[in-house]
Amino acid sequence: MPQSTNQILKYTVTTIPVGIFVYFIFRFHKDFYLISDISTSQFIQLLFLSLLTITLNGSKLNQIIKSFGIDIRMKEWFGLSSITLTLNSVLFKAGSLVTSNYLKRKHGFHYMSYVGALGADQLIALLISTLVGLCASVYLAVQMGRDLDLLIGGLVLVCAALIFLLNWKFTFTGKKENFFKALNRAVEALKNIVRDRRLFVIICAHALGMILLTAIRFYIVCRVLHYDISLIQCFLFTTVMIFVRAFPLIQSDLGTRELALGLLAEFLGSGLQSGMMAAFVDRLVVLFWCLITAALFRNTLIDREDSLKT
């Protein structure tokens, strides 16, 4: 597909959900008033969970970078995590691009190695979230009598496909030698992470922790908005969040995530409005605290850059 056509398709696929999302936000805007009902304990819980999310994401980055023989300070990985989460919530992988550029300039970490590491991390996160979503779906089907056969079957197929991808041994060849060398470097980085049992387990544990934090945070947001959504359902919502965030066709998951969770909530009987508004408020909560921490640690990263120049 020509580059121009591909870009037009991406912008179209991104713009349509955003337009629909804005329409529903105006339609359901009265639910925003419910945020004023938040209790002190709920506010502290959301703050704590947001900071834990930033910390866990940064810790995972640190472990991955360390496997390549590069050590970064805690202030660096925490600051990079804040910036990554902030920008990624607005534009597709924008935060990851900023992080890769920083690591390249300051630590000589090759961009394609970072791409391979990011790909491995993404596949592992998708696999773990699929397994969690599968368990949640089975529970809802058995304990609550939900007819989720189609959803369960789809998750099983996705899980099998992800396991195949993680074990698939492939090498790219072609006329553009430099391009395929870079691409194979990314593939090799992915293979190394999958082969490293210790690192693989660490990334799996971080992925599981992120899913747990996200599900609990989403559940608290639902309580603040007085939505009747169970914690088990929130684990299923988290699975959808991760898949939407990983979809490369869209320039941003803004609107797409909210619509996807709204449709899932409608499917589960909780209503389109509850899923969309809870997803939007959850995004605002994380973005708010990420912006604050990113601003606080921005000078740390700049100081690091200036000190290396001198």
Side-chain angles (χ1 to χ4, degrees):
M1 182 182 295
Q3 186 67 23
S4 59
T5 305
N6 187 41
Q7 287 298 321
I8 292 173
L9 180 60
K10 282 188 176 183
Y11 284 122
T12 301
V13 173
T14 302
T15 304
I16 292 175
V18 170
I20 298 173
F21 164 68
V22 171
Y23 164 76
F24 279 112
I25 286 297
F26 277 105
R27 182 178 174 183
F28 303 144
H29 72 279
K30 290 184 179 179
D31 281 22
F32 275 116
Y33 301 138
L34 298 173
I35 299 176
S36 61
D37 293 338
I38 188 171
S39 65
T40 302
S41 63
Q42 288 173 331
F43 179 84
I44 294 173
Q45 288 168 7
L46 290 175
L47 166 61
F48 181 67
L49 289 169
S50 298
L51 293 178
L52 273 181
T53 299
I54 298 171
T55 303
L56 198 60
N57 188 62
S59 173
K60 178 184 63 180
L61 173 65
N62 182 44
Q63 292 296 326
I64 292 174
I65 298 303
K66 191 178 291 185
S67 70
F68 288 88
I70 298 173
D71 289 319
I72 59 177
R73 300 175 302 169
M74 180 179 177
K75 288 183 178 181
E76 285 184 276
W77 60 252
F78 190 88
L80 288 172
S81 175
S82 300
I83 292 171
T84 299
L85 291 173
T86 299
L87 296 179
N88 281 357
S89 66
V90 180
L91 290 173
F92 179 74
K93 300 303 180 187
S96 300
L97 182 60
V98 170
T99 297
S100 69
N101 288 335
Y102 177 87
L103 293 173
K104 171 66 176 175
R105 292 197 313 270
K106 307 309 162 200
H107 299 282
F109 187 41
H110 199 282
Y111 174 72
M112 294 310 294
S113 294
Y114 179 79
V115 170
L118 191 66
D121 171 48
Q122 195 71 72
L123 286 175
I124 293 170
L126 289 171
L127 177 61
I128 299 300
S129 65
T130 300
L131 291 172
V132 170
L134 183 60
C135 292
S137 299
V138 171
Y139 177 87
L140 290 172
V142 174
Q143 297 295 325
M144 301 184 179
R146 303 277 190 181
D147 184 13
L148 302 176
D149 292 347
L150 186 60
L151 179 60
I152 292 172
L155 288 172
V156 169
L157 289 176
V158 170
C159 186
L162 289 170
I163 292 173
F164 173 76
L165 283 175
L166 285 169
N167 289 279
W168 184 27
K169 298 179 181 180
F170 50 91
T171 303
F172 294 99
T173 57
K175 294 181 179 179
K176 297 181 179 179
E177 186 176 349
N178 291 335
F179 171 77
F180 285 104
K181 277 185 178 179
L183 192 59
N184 284 322
R185 182 191 286 266
V187 172
E188 188 60 31
L190 188 154
K191 289 179 181 178
N192 289 337
I193 290 176
V194 174
R195 284 196 295 258
D196 187 337
R197 293 291 182 86
R198 177 181 173 277
L199 182 59
F200 183 77
V201 171
I202 288 174
I203 295 178
C204 286
H206 278 79
L208 188 59
M210 290 289 284
I211 292 169
L212 180 63
L213 290 175
T214 303
I216 295 174
R217 189 183 68 237
F218 195 84
Y219 178 72
I220 294 173
V221 168
C222 290
R223 297 278 73 77
V224 171
L225 298 174
H226 307 296
Y227 294 150
D228 186 20
I229 296 178
S230 69
L231 181 59
I232 295 296
Q233 288 177 318
C234 290
F235 279 104
L236 195 53
F237 287 131
T238 301
T239 297
V240 174
M241 283 188 204
I242 294 173
F243 270 86
V244 171
R245 191 163 55 232
F247 192 47
L249 188 60
I250 55 176
Q251 300 284 67
S252 169
D253 72 343
L254 178 62
T256 309
R257 182 200 304 180
E258 285 78 4
L259 282 174
L261 296 190
L263 291 172
L264 178 59
E266 180 71 22
F267 176 70
L268 294 175
S270 300
L272 176 72
Q273 177 176 347
S274 61
M276 286 191 64
M277 295 305 296
F280 185 52
V281 172
D282 177 70
R283 181 194 293 274
L284 292 179
V285 168
V286 177
L287 185 59
F288 176 75
W289 293 114
C290 283
L291 278 171
I292 291 177
T293 54
L296 291 174
F297 283 87
R298 177 178 175 274
N299 290 334
T300 299
L301 299 177
I302 292 175
D303 290 342
R304 168 72 173 167
E305 179 178 351
D306 293 340
S307 64
L308 284 173
K309 284 182 178 178
T310 57

